[in-house]
């Protein structure tokens, strides 16, 4: 069955009409805008008959909470679909429990599994991005008790050891045998990258969430001081991640074997998220460190090539592939975050946008007109995994949109 070209043209025109930056977008960005429609689908739920969600990737993924929240700004806001963003956010609000979102939608008769330490924090960031783009304070006011509940549960502690360490203001997370971060490969009872302790991106998201909650509270005339105090404590505690010299950030603090100094891309979120706990000098070190060792044309490697566990190719049987999933492969969704972080440090929007342009050629490599999930960690960075991945498309679009907007300002 061929594509509906009239529908594609309508989607593209709608985006151009709603988002000024897209009016003069290059052809490869237009193609990503068209690809967005393949990921968003109707997800009616009890009390939300107009609910929507996001397929994480094709051909074998369903709708994952973390992936949806990471992808939402790029899929919906960067393409002028604030109404879609609102429906997705309202749909997901109904599933918040003990301050957490489940990892995936439960099937009929199934219990939800809440084995994710970051989905709820990404949910807060998606609300921040949505309010920034739409100005919808009425929607924010409606969901504010849910957002407040998320923070409250993280402060007092929730499932899987997730909770605030009052000693340093950071979030701890993790139990043996459970994968909680986006590096979530598990083979039988073996969690390949358990990351128990205080993962760096979880705490970057925590600080970002607290700073956002402070802003929300001020706009709604709610008490903001508690969130400012928590954010100040998190910022101070986050300095523990900073390694001496130009080593960047620890990947995990206070793990079972101590602090983990493995060079991974997770630290880039401490610079790319809107609210950073780092000063300008530390941000520059992170971008330099990640750029030297992890940056490729299509994204960031999941592990330093010099590390003894680095896997240059993603291939073999299920065991071999899952064992290497976050031990070297390049992840496309992180390229947009690197570009935003680079712009934050250097202030050169055109140069940061150029980081994204290599994906133009990739649109003809695997899933035509879309972006793959992962690529081999070693050249020539062959596309692997799902040939069409929502957050790979979305994070590229979001970064291009934000950088184009920076150029216009």
């Amino acid at each position: 069955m061929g594509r509906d070209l009239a529908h594609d043209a309508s989607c593209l025109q709608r985006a151009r009409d709603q988002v000024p930056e897209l009016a003069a977008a290059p052809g490869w960005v237009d193609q990503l805008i068209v690809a967005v429609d393949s990921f968003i689908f109707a997800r009616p739920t009890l009390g939300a008959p107009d609910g929507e969600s996001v397929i994480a990737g094709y051909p074998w993924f369903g709708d994952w909470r973390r992936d949806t929240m990471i992808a939402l700004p790029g899929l919906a806001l960067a393409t002028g679909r604030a109404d879609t963003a609102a429906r997705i956010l309202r749909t997901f609000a109904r599933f918040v429990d003990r301050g957490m979102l489940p990892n995936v939608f439960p099937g009929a008769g199934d219990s939800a599994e809440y084995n994710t330490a970051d989905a709820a924090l990404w949910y807060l960031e998606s609300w921040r991005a949505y309010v920034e783009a739409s100005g919808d304070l009425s929607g924010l006011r409606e969901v504010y008790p849910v957002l407040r509940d998320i923070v409250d549960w993280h402060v007092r502690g929730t499932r899987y050891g997730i909770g605030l360490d009052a000693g340093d203001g950071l979030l701890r997370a993790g139990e043996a045998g459970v994968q909680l971060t986006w590096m979530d490969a598990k083979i039988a009872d073996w969690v390949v990258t358990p990351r128990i302790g205080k993962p760096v991106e979880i705490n970057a998201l925590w600080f970002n969430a607290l700073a956002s909650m402070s802003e929300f509270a001020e706009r709604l005339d709610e008490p903001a001081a508690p969130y400012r105090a928590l954010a100040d404590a998190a910022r101070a505690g986050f300095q523990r991640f900073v390694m001496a010299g130009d080593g960047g950030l620890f990947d995990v603090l206070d793990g079972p074997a101590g602090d983990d100094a493995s060079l991974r891309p997770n630290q880039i979120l401490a610079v790319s998220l809107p609210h950073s706990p780092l000063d300008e000098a530390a941000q520059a070190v992170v971008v330099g460190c990640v750029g030297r060792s992890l940056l490729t044309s299509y994204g960031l490697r999941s592990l330093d090539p010099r590390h003894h566990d680095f896997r240059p190719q993603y291939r073999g049987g299920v065991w071999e592939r899952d064992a290497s999933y976050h031990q070297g492969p390049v992840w496309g969704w992180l390229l947009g975050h690197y570009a935003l972080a680079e712009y934050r440090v250097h202030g050169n929007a055109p140069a940061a946008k150029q980081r994204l342009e290599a994906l133009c050629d990739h649109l003809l490599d695997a899933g035509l007109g879309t972006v793959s999930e992962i690529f081999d960690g070693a050249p020539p960075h062959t596309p692997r995994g799902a040939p069409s991945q929502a957050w790979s498309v979305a994070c590229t679009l979001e970064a291009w949109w934000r950088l184009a907007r920076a150029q216009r300002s």
Side-chain angles (χ1 to χ4, degrees):
M1 181 182 296
R3 292 191 64 91
D4 184 339
L5 298 183
H7 177 76
D8 289 351
S10 175
C11 290
L12 185 56
Q13 190 60 52
R14 177 181 58 186
R16 288 172 173 168
D17 290 343
Q18 294 294 321
V19 183
E21 292 80 13
L22 300 181
W28 68 271
V29 173
D30 288 347
Q31 183 59 65
L32 294 185
I33 295 168
V34 170
V36 162
D37 228 36
S38 64
F39 298 110
I40 299 170
F41 74 106
R43 172 61 95 166
T45 63
L46 184 64
D50 64 343
E52 293 187 43
S53 189
V54 170
I55 292 293
Y58 294 100
W60 47 73
F61 288 106
D63 49 337
W64 292 65
R65 298 301 201 280
R66 172 192 298 117
D67 298 52
T68 297
M69 290 301 107
I70 291 174
L72 183 144
L75 296 184
L77 303 178
T79 58
R81 301 170 66 156
D83 55 339
T84 292
R87 284 191 290 271
I88 293 172
L89 290 168
R90 288 198 302 267
T91 301
F92 279 41
R94 307 189 67 83
F95 291 88
V96 175
D97 181 77
R98 294 175 61 185
M100 299 177 69
L101 280 171
N103 206 18
V104 296
F105 268 100
D110 295 335
S111 299
E113 293 290 338
Y114 286 80
N115 58 317
T116 168
D118 54 355
L121 302 178
W122 280 112
Y123 183 67
L124 273 158
E125 166 53 19
S126 287
W127 266 102
R128 185 213 61 78
Y130 168 70
V131 172
E132 175 192 59
S134 69
D136 182 8
L137 293 187
S138 176
L140 177 62
R141 187 177 301 280
E142 181 181 344
V143 79
Y144 187 76
V146 176
L147 305 182
R148 183 176 58 209
D149 195 53
I150 289 173
V151 173
D152 289 349
W153 271 105
H154 281 72
V155 169
R156 66 178 179 261
T158 185
R159 300 173 178 87
Y160 302 117
I162 299 170
L164 179 69
D165 182 342
D168 59 10
L170 300 177
L171 283 185
R172 61 182 182 276
E175 293 178 355
V178 182
Q179 71 279 42
L180 294 179
T181 73
W182 78 275
M183 292 187 162
D184 58 357
K186 184 178 181 181
I187 308 170
D189 294 329
W190 176 38
V191 177
V192 181
T193 49
R195 305 182 71 230
I196 296 172
K198 297 167 183 172
V200 64
E201 83 281 9
I202 299 298
N203 281 285
L205 284 161
W206 175 236
F207 175 79
N208 184 71
L210 294 170
S212 298
M213 283 297 290
S214 175
E215 293 178 349
F216 292 164
E218 289 176 355
R219 298 188 71 175
L220 298 176
D221 292 324
E222 296 281 348
Y227 300 116
R228 286 197 293 268
L230 287 167
D232 288 344
R235 185 198 298 273
F238 199 88
Q239 309 318 306
R240 294 185 56 213
F241 283 102
V242 179
M243 291 192 280
D246 61 355
L249 306 180
F250 285 101
D251 189 56
V252 182
L253 295 178
D254 301 340
D259 299 338
D260 182 359
S262 301
L263 177 53
R264 294 188 180 273
N266 304 300
Q267 61 186 286
I268 202 67
L269 297 180
V271 186
S272 65
L273 288 169
H275 301 288
S276 173
L278 298 172
D279 62 25
E280 292 181 358
Q283 291 173 13
V285 169
V286 168
V287 170
C289 179
V290 170
R292 286 190 299 273
S293 298
L294 304 181
L295 179 64
T296 73
S297 297
Y298 300 138
L300 300 183
R301 294 184 178 95
S302 44
L303 186 63
D304 187 346
R306 296 166 296 183
H307 195 284
H308 57 80
D309 288 332
F310 177 76
R311 306 288 186 89
Q313 279 90 32
Y314 178 81
R315 59 189 181 189
V318 173
W319 184 282
E320 290 81 8
R321 295 198 308 272
D322 284 354
S324 67
Y325 202 31
H326 302 103
Q327 301 290 62
V330 171
W331 286 78
W333 74 276
L334 292 167
L335 182 63
H337 280 277
Y338 182 85
L340 290 172
E342 187 173 48
Y343 169 67
R344 185 177 210 151
V345 167
H346 299 299
N348 189 334
K353 279 174 65 180
Q354 285 183 342
R355 292 290 184 193
L356 308 172
E357 292 179 1
L359 290 174
C360 174
D361 293 333
H362 168 64
L363 297 183
L364 301 175
D365 283 347
L368 296 181
T370 187
V371 185
S372 295
E373 176 189 16
I374 56 175
F375 305 80
D376 281 341
H381 306 302
T382 302
R384 305 287 188 184
S388 180
Q389 195 76 1
W391 62 8
S392 299
V393 170
C395 291
T396 304
L397 264 178
E398 181 186 5
W400 193 94
W401 166 56
R402 294 192 182 282
L403 293 168
R405 191 170 59 179
Q407 282 184 269
R408 284 167 52 92
S409 62

